[in-house]
Amino acid sequence: MDVLMSALKLFDKIYIAVGYNHLKHGFLRPETRVRLINDAIRPLTDSGESIEVLSYTGLTVDLCRQKGAGFIIRGLRTTTDFELESVIAQANRKMQPETVTVFIPASHSYSFISSTVVRDVIINGGDAAPFLPEGIRIENYLNQ
């Protein structure tokens, strides 16, 4: 949400793309992740922000081409994120030079939050609420 709020200052339309990798088994199914994200951003879309959440398979640059998106927004928490994301951005740029990756650093207060941390808290019965968008109750999305 932090990165999304920054991105909305730069772009008129935002696609939040939930990628599906057939080689990985995610904690939540892509459809569930899309529903969770839609629920989290509902106050923004209800107030007129142009945000669309979708799931996809394949290459992100192919989705960008399909949607006519010239930018890929990636949030960064740490320098490690930058190193990993930079390699992906360079590969994407090689495949599709007209698509530019924009890195937006997360606010310092969110820099320690990762999907791994949140997943571990949930699996071990902890309270994940401090790590989730306001109004999102994770139990509404588990086992779906």
Side-chain angles (χ1 to χ4, degrees):
M1 291 297 289
D2 179 58
V3 171
L4 175 61
M5 296 306 291
S6 295
L8 286 169
K9 296 175 185 174
L10 300 171
F11 299 99
D12 295 329
K13 168 100 179 172
I14 305 281
Y15 294 100
I16 300 176
V18 176
Y20 179 73
N21 183 337
H22 297 285
L23 301 175
K24 292 183 179 180
H25 177 69
F27 183 65
L28 297 175
R29 294 182 12 220
E31 318 75 69
T32 304
R33 291 170 58 203
V34 167
R35 188 167 63 86
L36 186 152
I37 295 166
N38 272 316
D39 290 347
I41 66 167
R42 185 158 292 115
L44 296 171
T45 56
D46 285 351
S47 70
E49 295 292 355
S50 184
I51 308 167
E52 181 180 339
V53 184
L54 48 91
S55 64
Y56 72 102
T57 58
L59 298 173
T60 303
V61 291
D62 290 339
L63 177 66
C64 290
R65 187 179 303 112
Q66 175 190 352
K67 292 295 184 180
F71 298 90
I72 298 172
I73 302 163
R74 299 297 296 181
L76 300 176
R77 295 169 295 136
T78 64
T79 56
T80 302
D81 282 354
F82 176 76
E83 291 173 9
L84 296 171
E85 292 292 344
S86 181
V87 170
I88 296 168
Q90 290 172 22
N92 286 339
R93 192 74 184 259
K94 188 73 169 174
M95 291 184 287
Q96 188 167 305
E98 62 274 13
T99 301
V100 176
T101 300
V102 175
F103 296 122
I104 298 179
S107 298
H108 181 69
S109 57
Y110 299 110
S111 65
F112 69 97
I113 300 173
S114 70
S115 60
T116 303
V117 168
V118 176
R119 187 173 40 245
D120 193 47
V121 169
I122 294 166
I123 288 171
N124 289 292
D127 180 13
F131 309 110
L132 300 173
E134 188 174 321
I136 296 298
R137 297 180 49 86
I138 196 64
E139 56 271 11
N140 294 338
Y141 305 93
L142 297 176
N143 302 317
Q144 295 183 6

